[in-house]
Amino acid sequence: SSSSAASDVYKRQSEGVTHLDDLLLRRTRLGLQLGAEVIRYREVILQLCCRHLGWSSDEADKEWNRFEQIFNSSYQLPSRQVREDICDG
């Protein structure tokens, strides 16, 4: 089935993962491909991490918070005002 195929891909790509940002921004690049829409998949992603990486729900929540902090500070476009300042610059 497609869900077991997805699970197999996830297992291969998650080997050695210790942080969610590593998984979502570098190994699978889902965070980059989905952008802010990644939040829609939060529960599924965290369930997979708990199952395959042995995280507790508290660990998973902490990892999501870490991922969001890194994503929001380093992987988003600057605000419209900053972009305008750069272009007018």
Side-chain angles (χ1 to χ4, degrees):
S1 78
S2 65
S3 69
S4 75
S7 184
D8 289 344
V9 168
Y10 177 86
K11 283 184 215 175
R12 284 194 299 277
Q13 291 178 330
S14 66
E15 288 179 7
V17 167
T18 57
H19 293 291
L20 188 59
D21 56 284
D22 178 36
L23 180 67
L24 295 181
L25 297 172
R26 288 177 281 287
R27 293 175 189 248
T28 66
R29 303 177 77 60
L30 282 173
L32 300 174
Q33 293 171 347
L34 296 173
E37 293 296 310
V38 73
I39 189 73
R40 295 174 58 199
Y41 303 96
R42 180 185 190 276
E43 292 307 314
V44 172
I45 290 168
L46 294 184
Q47 286 173 1
L48 285 168
C49 288
C50 288
R51 184 179 321 138
H52 296 290
L53 301 175
W55 294 351
S56 67
S57 12
D58 284 344
E59 288 172 305
D61 287 337
K62 287 177 187 173
E63 284 297 324
W64 186 268
N65 291 337
R66 174 191 158 99
F67 160 73
E68 279 189 324
Q69 183 178 22
I70 291 169
F71 182 80
N72 290 333
S73 67
S74 301
Y75 289 89
Q76 296 232 355
L77 290 174
S79 69
R80 169 176 259 154
Q81 184 61 51
V82 170
R83 291 191 311 263
E84 288 172 1
D85 289 347
I86 291 170
C87 291
D88 292 341

